[in-house]
Amino acid sequence: MKQGKKRGAFFTIIAGILALAACVVYIGVMYKLPIVFVLLLAAAAVSAAAYVGKVGVVTTLAPAVIAFLSATAVIWAVNPMVNQLGYVVSGLDDISTVIALIISGALMAASMVVAIVASFMPQNEAEA
């Protein structure tokens, strides 16, 4: 018998899609770290695994794991760009040098928030 998906499962997959979109936008960042790509791709993979998985630990813990991975990715993404952000704030550089970081960071934060919201919702019919 196939388990039906609830609203939380769709929020979980949306969080994974946002993490994947953040990964694509992060390509345009001036100074980047490979660990950010790994964290975001892992978040997308956990999201996909939770969506296709059956009721169990993976589907239950997936939103929390995605939120953790997205939050960690934001921290690692901002780390090498701190000087550039300071240059932009002080007027020594143009905003265009950090716009990709701002957009990708916003997508990472959105992924984290959506995953946190999903963690409070049932993922499958059996959990409702």
Side-chain angles (χ1 to χ4, degrees), residues 4-17 47 51 114 118 122-123:
K5 299 294 181 187
K6 296 292 273 187
R7 198 174 338 162
F10 295 109
F11 274 81
T12 301
I13 198 73
I14 290 169
I17 291 169
S47 171
Y51 189 76
V114 170
Q123 300 290 316

Side-chain angles (χ1 to χ4, degrees), residues 85-104:
L85 289 168
Y87 294 153
V88 170
V89 169
S90 65
L92 297 173
D93 210 348
D94 190 42
I95 189 86
S96 64
T97 60
V98 294
I99 199 72
L101 175 69
I102 293 169
I103 293 170
S104 66

